[in-house]
Amino acid sequence: MSLVELIARADARGLAASGLACLDRCVPLLDGDDEALRPLWALLADDADDARGAAGRDWAEGLAQVRDKLAGPDAGGEDEAVVLARRMLEAAPAACTGPALRTWADACSVASLRIHRLLDPVGDAAREADVPRDGGTEGLPPLVAAELRRQTGVLELLADRGVAGLRPALEVSTEGRRVLRAVVSRRARGRA
C-alpha cells in the first residue's frame, strides 16, 4: 500500500503516531533533545484503555508543554527546513481526533519529506518538487527514500499491531532522528 493509502486508512492513533513520528525525526532542526516529544508518545500508549486518553485535555496540555520547550526565535531568518519543522509543531491539533488529525498527519508527511529532500547531501535539480508519496522509492535521493520508508513503516506497524506498534514505531522514529541529527550537524560544520 502506498503512503497516501496508509494515511487515508489509518485510525486516530495511527494518524497521531504518524504525525508525531515525522515531527520527532525533525526535532534536531528545532534544537530539541531526543526526549522532547516523549510525553506525547506516552499519551498515545496510555490511550489503550481510556476512552478520553490522548483525545482529551492531556494531549492538549502535553502539546502546549512541547511547544513551549521547542519554542524558538521568530522564523524570519530561518531556512526553509527549520520553518517547515516549526509549522509541523504549530499545526498539531489540540485534540487527538477528528478530521484535523488526518489533515495534520498528511501535512507532516509532506513537510518531513520536503525537509529530507532539502537536507539530502546527494540533492538533485528537483529539490523544489514534492516527493511522490504514492509509489516506491526508486529514483529518490537516499535520505528522502529512507524517510519515505520510515513513514510507511510507522503506519504499517500501527495498522498491524495497534497500540503494541507504538514502541517499534518510536524506534523507527528514533533511528531517523539520529540520521537527521548527523545531517544537520554536518551541515552546520560545513557552514562554519
Side-chain angles (χ1 to χ4, degrees):
M1 220 180 301
S2 74
L3 180 56
V4 172
E5 292 169 320
L6 287 166
I7 290 172
R9 294 181 181 199
D11 64 6
R13 182 180 286 112
L15 292 170
S18 176
L20 197 54
C22 288
L23 181 58
D24 200 358
R25 288 188 295 276
C26 295
V27 160
L29 290 166
L30 303 176
D31 294 326
D33 65 48
D34 289 350
E35 301 296 315
L37 299 178
R38 188 68 75 152
L40 295 177
W41 283 104
L43 285 172
L44 291 180
D46 290 346
D47 188 33
D49 298 314
D50 180 358
R52 186 191 67 149
R57 140 190 87 143
D58 294 341
W59 174 265
E61 289 173 2
L63 186 58
Q65 290 171 359
V66 167
R67 284 180 175 145
D68 287 345
K69 188 183 232 183
L70 297 177
D74 182 20
E78 295 177 333
D79 68 25
E80 185 179 355
V82 175
V83 170
L84 288 168
R86 289 208 185 287
R87 283 184 191 156
M88 275 194 274
L89 178 59
E90 290 308 313
C96 206
T97 59
L101 186 59
R102 190 169 311 279
T103 300
W104 178 64
D106 191 59
C108 286
S109 171
V110 171
S112 185
L113 287 165
R114 176 95 181 112
I115 287 167
H116 283 76
R117 175 164 266 175
L118 289 167
L119 298 178
D120 198 307
V122 186
D124 56 10
R127 280 183 185 260
E128 298 303 316
D130 285 338
V131 175
R133 298 180 307 144
D134 54 0
T137 59
E138 188 175 335
L140 294 176
L143 193 64
V144 177
E147 173 61 9
L148 186 59
R149 283 191 297 273
R150 284 186 191 98
Q151 287 188 27
T152 301
V154 164
L155 284 161
E156 288 172 343
L157 284 164
L158 273 291
D160 293 345
R161 301 185 194 178
V163 72
L166 282 170
R167 181 175 297 280
L170 179 57
E171 290 168 5
V172 167
S173 188
T174 299
E175 174 200 359
R177 185 180 345 103
R178 286 184 190 131
V179 169
L180 198 67
R181 191 173 296 286
V183 169
V184 168
S185 178
R186 276 194 301 269
R187 183 177 174 216
R189 285 194 306 269
R191 289 180 172 178

